[in-house]
Amino acid sequence: MNPQRAVVGISLLLLIVLVLVVPACTSKSTAPSLVERGKYLVMAGGCDDCHSPKIFTPAGPIPDTTRLLSGHPANSQLPEIPKGVLGPTLWGAITTNDLTAWAGPWGVSFAYNLTPDMKTGIGSWPEEMFIKTLRTGKFMAMSRDILPPMPWQGIGQMTDDDLKAIFAYLKSLPPINNPIPAPIPPPGK
């Protein structure tokens, strides 16, 4: 075989590989999908800490993955708030042992159901309402204030793309019917 022909043949083969195979490999994005990015942001942001009921293990409480991000359990009894514990020179807040209900000078707040349940979660919310809620601190973008400990001020500073990713992830979860109680105002209000 002619050495020049062999070089040309090998060169042609390499060219075909470069033209057909390399673009096919590099055209696949290594960027996470919107839902994957949202899951990452929700997990890194610790949303499970308050919005997921817990299972109590010997190592401590862990999120109940069968009720992930479904908020304060509707069937949960709220323990009595001890008198004389909260105040300007005392404790600023106390929480239930699963971290889904919090008491402070604002009254009692309950972690909301973030699953796409149409009646008790964010299933009926459009993306714009979700983003506006986190930007304004108003529940459903127009009503009562979002109460502590929800860090909406910091979350509201996230980019639109990040908030859209979080919304996409939350909408990908299984819907869980779990009606959350209305906040309880502080005594005397």
Side-chain angles (χ1 to χ4, degrees), residues 105-108 182-189:
W106 62 87
V108 179
I184 301 170
K189 298 223 175 170

Side-chain angles (χ1 to χ4, degrees), residues 19-28:
V19 169
L20 297 177
V21 176
V22 172
C25 293
T26 59
S27 69
K28 292 180 182 172

Side-chain angles (χ1 to χ4, degrees), residues 2-181:
N2 181 342
Q4 270 184 326
R5 267 194 164 173
V7 170
V8 169
I10 292 172
S11 297
L12 218 76
L13 182 61
L14 286 174
L15 182 61
I16 290 170
V17 167
L18 287 173
V19 169
L20 297 177
V21 176
V22 172
C25 293
T26 59
S27 69
K28 292 180 182 172
S29 175
T30 57
S33 73
L34 196 62
V35 169
E36 290 168 335
R37 173 84 178 142
K39 181 178 182 179
Y40 166 77
L41 292 167
V42 164
M43 295 303 143
C47 301
D48 271 340
D49 291 351
C50 297
H51 288 277
S52 290
K54 310 298 181 292
I55 295 172
F56 291 87
T57 71
I62 60 170
D64 180 350
T65 58
T66 66
R67 299 185 293 167
L68 196 65
L69 299 166
S70 64
H72 179 74
N75 61 354
S76 179
Q77 285 290 97
L78 195 62
E80 184 177 333
I81 299 169
K83 300 211 182 303
V85 173
L86 299 171
T89 60
L90 304 169
W91 288 95
I94 57 173
T95 185
T96 55
N97 60 7
D98 69 353
L99 308 176
T100 63
W102 292 74
W106 62 87
V108 179
S109 53
F110 300 93
Y112 195 68
N113 181 351
L114 300 179
T115 74
D117 185 72
M118 293 300 282
K119 292 182 182 173
T120 66
I122 64 165
S124 64
W125 292 30
E127 181 181 77
E128 299 77 32
M129 180 186 288
F130 177 78
I131 292 171
K132 190 172 180 186
T133 294
L134 292 171
R135 295 244 193 269
T136 64
K138 296 290 184 188
F139 181 71
M140 296 185 80
M142 62 187 160
S143 63
R144 67 168 176 79
D145 289 340
I146 295 176
L147 298 173
M150 180 64 188
W152 67 267
Q153 301 92 336
I155 295 169
Q157 299 300 312
M158 296 174 85
T159 67
D160 282 350
D161 287 345
D162 283 346
L163 293 175
K164 288 176 181 182
I166 290 170
F167 186 72
Y169 169 65
L170 295 175
K171 287 288 207 161
S172 78
L173 296 172
I176 298 172
N177 183 285
N178 183 43
I180 306 300

